[in-house]
Amino acid sequence: MKKFKLIIYSVMTLFVLGYIFFEAPTLNPLYAEGALFYCAVITAYILVWSLLRFGTFTFENITNSKRAFNYVPSQKFPRWVKILLAAPWVFFVVMVIASSVIINWSAFRDQLGQAEITDFSKDVQPVDVNQIPIVDKELAYNLADKKLGERQSLGSQVVLGEPTIQRVDGKLIWAVPLHHSGIFKWLTNLQGTPGYITVSATNVKDVDYVDGKYVKYQVNSYLLNDVKRKVRLAKALFEGITDFSFELDDNGQPFWVVSTYKNKRGFSLPEATGVITLNASTGETVRYNLDNIPDWVDRVQPEDFIINQIDNQGKYVHGIFNFSDKDKFKSSPGHMIVYNNNRCYLFTGLTSVGQDSSTIGYVMVDMKNKSTRRYVMNGATETAAMGSAEGKVQHLGYKATFPLILNIGSEPTYFTTLKDKEGLIKQYAMVSVTDYSIVGTGETIPLAIKDYQQGMKNVGISPNIDDTLEKNSVTGTILRIASEFDGQSTVYKVILQEYKDRIYLIDAALSDELALTTSGDRVTIDSYSDKGAGIQAASGFDNQAFSQK
């Protein structure tokens, strides 16, 4: 019997240790995950001990070749045993109640902290046309997948991980890790996948495969090469960890940045306490608190934490029994990661409960220290802005991406890209936050801005947009000229003999001379440059032949 008990306890212990290794739960009972683990383990051990203590397991012969396993209780479980079995679960239930919003509604409301009310046009940097992030996560993934497909020998061994937007050495990029495509690929490449892919967030043509930086530790990998398992066992056995973000330091070395957190009320109100960085190549782990986060780490606060805190602040603004929904608000159904003054922020609109197409303001939360700024202004929601942008090009069937908000000539403006059915960017759109009927679209960002400026002027608003764009002037000989009517206006397309790599788009309203211009004419074109693009939006046109008469 002693041997049987030893086997039972040994098997149970091995099972528990295996669970700790493979599932990597926190071992702190002050977290819901840890409390459930201890409840299950304690209950299992007490139950097995009780069964062995107050009964007998026997093997009975049914036939000469078969034996049946049977349990014969010698007595009922004493009351104290039942109390021991119930105690862990009572603790769990008490903690759940102590964590509930009914008891802690003010803590739920106040977790985000007091926001600084500020002016959008003064606080948010005016946009740099060449730094507008036109590549969203979906497009970044597709561009990275195309780059991976160029390496046929590599494409069969790895798959793409989740892209993470970040600023590296002053450049806004998406970093995309490469993961093993299966356990056999992992076994034959234990040193890791050979590199990662970067996609510029501002230029669809800037996609690089970075070789020589092995990514040995990966999300959902095997044994100690799994990021969660490695970080948990190395630095966080008794702490909450979440949000595994793939980031690069200033030297291009890949890291996994894992946020640590603790609960402020029982099992509720998780609050970020710092990060643990895991070198994706060497496995070196370093813990940082909120006071000494490295400069290259862009994000500490998990996005879902911040959105929940914003929603809790709006939901419990007047307590939990605000049945009339007075002053309640919620975050917009979507948010963006933006950069302002080289700091990373979560930006989202605020909508009154019950209102679908208008906002009451916007919130920008620093993703490192959680400092919050609130901009009080009425306007359209991101969803309404997307619909307005799509409406202007409905004849083309383009779909708008989730917009980000920019400071265009001191005017809060939604910016979105317009994609075709293949997911390729075809146009850009600017939509006024305060009046989403004002929309500017164009094949380049400068063209969209100029169209947006004209729409503002039509309603009596004169934003100082010209200073946002980089101007230049060229003189040359017409090589080709053609006109195109897009259903709303006529646009001339011009190629100069001296600049064959550019196409100048010139609105017919800029000059009456356009209709009389032909190949061989000497002209001067003023334009707003869009670096990295072969299409230039013209702001002025002069045919020298007519000027000399």
Side-chain angles (χ1 to χ4, degrees):
M1 190 63 180
K2 288 183 178 180
K3 184 177 180 180
F4 176 73
K5 290 181 179 180
L6 180 60
I7 293 174
I8 291 293
Y9 288 130
S10 298
V11 170
M12 291 179 63
T13 302
L14 287 174
F15 179 83
V16 170
L17 293 176
Y19 179 83
I20 293 174
F21 180 80
F22 288 103
E23 295 300 320
T26 177
L27 299 184
N28 190 333
L30 297 181
Y31 295 81
E33 180 186 30
L36 281 173
F37 169 77
Y38 281 110
C39 285
V41 170
I42 292 172
T43 300
Y45 272 98
I46 293 177
L47 183 60
V48 169
W49 178 86
S50 301
L51 290 172
L52 294 172
R53 174 66 176 79
F54 303 107
T56 304
F57 290 94
T58 61
F59 292 91
E60 298 179 355
N61 291 325
I62 298 177
T63 63
N64 290 333
S65 59
K66 293 184 179 181
R67 303 179 70 188
F69 183 74
N70 191 27
Y71 174 73
V72 180
S74 59
Q75 67 179 83
K76 294 182 178 180
F77 289 173
R79 184 178 180 182
W80 62 269
V81 171
K82 296 178 181 178
I83 293 175
L84 287 177
L85 287 170
W89 300 101
V90 171
F91 167 80
F92 184 80
V93 172
V94 169
M95 287 292 290
V96 169
I97 295 174
S99 310
S100 68
V101 67
I102 296 177
I103 297 176
N104 303 288
W105 67 266
S106 61
F108 275 74
R109 180 195 61 193
D110 299 334
Q111 186 180 10
L112 182 63
Q114 189 67 30
E116 177 186 355
I117 306 300
T118 186
D119 182 77
F120 178 85
S121 62
K122 295 180 180 179
D123 190 52
V124 177
Q125 282 183 317
V127 66
D128 178 353
V129 172
N130 300 311
Q131 291 300 314
I132 295 178
I134 62 175
V135 178
D136 61 5
K137 180 182 287 189
E138 179 184 10
L139 181 56
Y141 186 93
N142 292 337
L143 292 173
D145 189 52
K146 182 179 178 181
K147 174 62 69 172
L148 183 62
E150 296 174 0
R151 295 173 172 261
Q152 297 181 358
S153 61
L154 188 61
S156 61
Q157 301 179 39
V158 302
V159 294
L160 297 176
E162 182 178 359
T164 304
I165 194 168
Q166 56 204 269
R167 187 178 292 276
V168 178
D169 197 22
K171 182 179 178 182
L172 196 61
I173 66 165
W174 291 93
V176 189
L178 303 180
H179 293 170
H180 293 293
S181 58
I183 189 170
F184 294 108
K185 301 300 182 184
W186 170 70
L187 287 171
T188 55
N189 297 277
L190 291 177
Q191 76 274 23
T193 51
Y196 54 86
I197 295 174
T198 63
V199 181
S200 171
T202 60
N203 185 356
V204 295
K205 297 180 180 180
D206 187 0
V207 183
D208 292 321
Y209 169 74
V210 181
D211 201 354
K213 303 284 188 180
Y214 280 89
V215 181
K216 180 178 180 179
Y217 297 89
Q218 304 166 16
V219 174
N220 296 325
S221 189
Y222 308 95
L223 300 181
L224 286 176
N225 288 161
D226 177 75
V227 174
K228 179 183 178 183
R229 194 173 297 127
K230 174 67 175 178
V231 171
R232 174 71 75 196
L233 298 179
K235 294 287 185 181
L237 273 175
F238 297 92
E239 195 167 8
I241 56 175
T242 187
D243 199 28
F244 308 97
S245 176
F246 185 77
E247 296 193 33
L248 311 176
D249 68 8
D250 293 334
N251 297 318
Q253 174 60 42
F255 284 82
W256 291 99
V257 179
V258 182
S259 297
T260 60
Y261 71 93
K262 65 179 180 179
N263 298 317
K264 298 184 68 175
R265 291 290 190 277
F267 297 152
S268 301
L269 304 182
E271 187 72 37
T273 57
V275 296
I276 296 173
T277 61
L278 170 64
N279 188 307
S281 303
T282 66
E284 179 186 6
T285 56
V286 181
R287 177 191 296 275
Y288 298 95
N289 57 37
L290 294 177
D291 297 327
N292 62 348
I293 303 295
D295 291 338
W296 60 266
V297 173
D298 286 350
R299 285 179 283 183
V300 177
Q301 307 290 334
E303 294 176 39
D304 58 336
F305 283 15
I306 299 301
I307 292 298
N308 286 335
Q309 291 174 29
I310 292 172
D311 289 340
N312 286 338
Q313 190 176 73
K315 186 175 182 180
Y316 306 114
V317 62
H318 293 309
I320 59 175
F321 300 114
N322 183 12
F323 301 115
S324 63
D325 292 339
K326 180 182 178 182
D327 298 328
K328 281 187 177 182
F329 61 87
K330 59 183 178 180
S331 61
S332 298
H335 63 272
M336 290 289 293
I337 295 297
V338 299
Y339 284 79
N340 185 51
N341 291 316
N342 294 321
R343 296 284 290 188
C344 180
Y345 294 89
L346 181 146
F347 200 103
T348 186
L350 300 178
T351 306
S352 293
V353 172
Q355 298 293 325
D356 296 326
S357 60
S358 62
T359 62
I360 59 173
Y362 299 84
V363 169
M364 191 162 71
V365 182
D366 191 301
M367 295 303 283
K368 274 193 175 181
N369 59 26
K370 212 179 73 168
S371 63
T372 305
R373 303 175 187 178
R374 183 170 176 177
Y375 310 102
V376 180
M377 55 181 172
N378 294 325
T381 63
E382 293 91 339
T383 303
M386 292 168 63
S388 184
E390 291 173 355
K392 187 163 184 180
V393 292
Q394 57 183 329
H395 59 292
L396 299 173
Y398 297 155
K399 294 297 181 181
T401 58
F402 190 83
L404 59 112
I405 193 168
L406 304 174
N407 182 355
I408 302 291
S410 297
E411 291 291 331
T413 303
Y414 284 121
F415 169 81
T416 179
T417 59
L418 296 166
K419 296 182 179 180
D420 62 12
K421 293 180 180 179
E422 301 300 321
L424 301 176
I425 298 175
K426 293 300 182 181
Q427 289 192 21
Y428 306 92
M430 303 281 177
V431 183
S432 172
V433 170
T434 55
D435 183 356
Y436 66 100
S437 66
I438 303 174
V439 184
T441 59
E443 295 180 17
T444 68
I445 294 176
L447 277 176
I449 292 178
K450 291 299 292 182
D451 189 35
Y452 176 62
Q453 183 183 36
Q454 186 59 50
M456 299 284 275
K457 289 180 178 179
N458 291 341
V459 296
I461 303 174
S462 299
N464 189 21
I465 290 180
D466 287 340
D467 293 339
T468 301
L469 303 173
E470 181 182 343
K471 301 178 183 179
N472 59 55
S473 181
V474 297
T475 298
T477 303
I478 296 287
L479 177 64
R480 292 186 180 181
I481 182 171
S483 63
E484 181 180 66
F485 183 70
D486 63 3
Q488 295 179 333
S489 63
T490 299
V491 175
Y492 284 84
K493 297 184 177 182
V494 173
I495 298 177
L496 300 180
Q497 181 69 41
E498 295 81 358
Y499 302 97
K500 295 180 182 179
D501 59 339
R502 306 178 190 174
I503 298 177
Y504 289 96
L505 304 182
I506 312 171
D507 194 293
L510 282 178
S511 174
D512 293 334
E513 298 174 351
L514 281 164
L516 304 174
T517 300
T518 186
S519 298
D521 288 355
R522 293 286 292 177
V523 299
T524 298
I525 301 175
D526 300 324
S527 68
Y528 296 97
S529 67
D530 187 5
K531 294 179 181 178
I535 299 177
Q536 301 287 325
S539 60
F541 178 84
D542 178 44
N543 189 319
Q544 294 182 6
F546 299 109
S547 301
Q548 295 171 357
K549 63 182 180 179

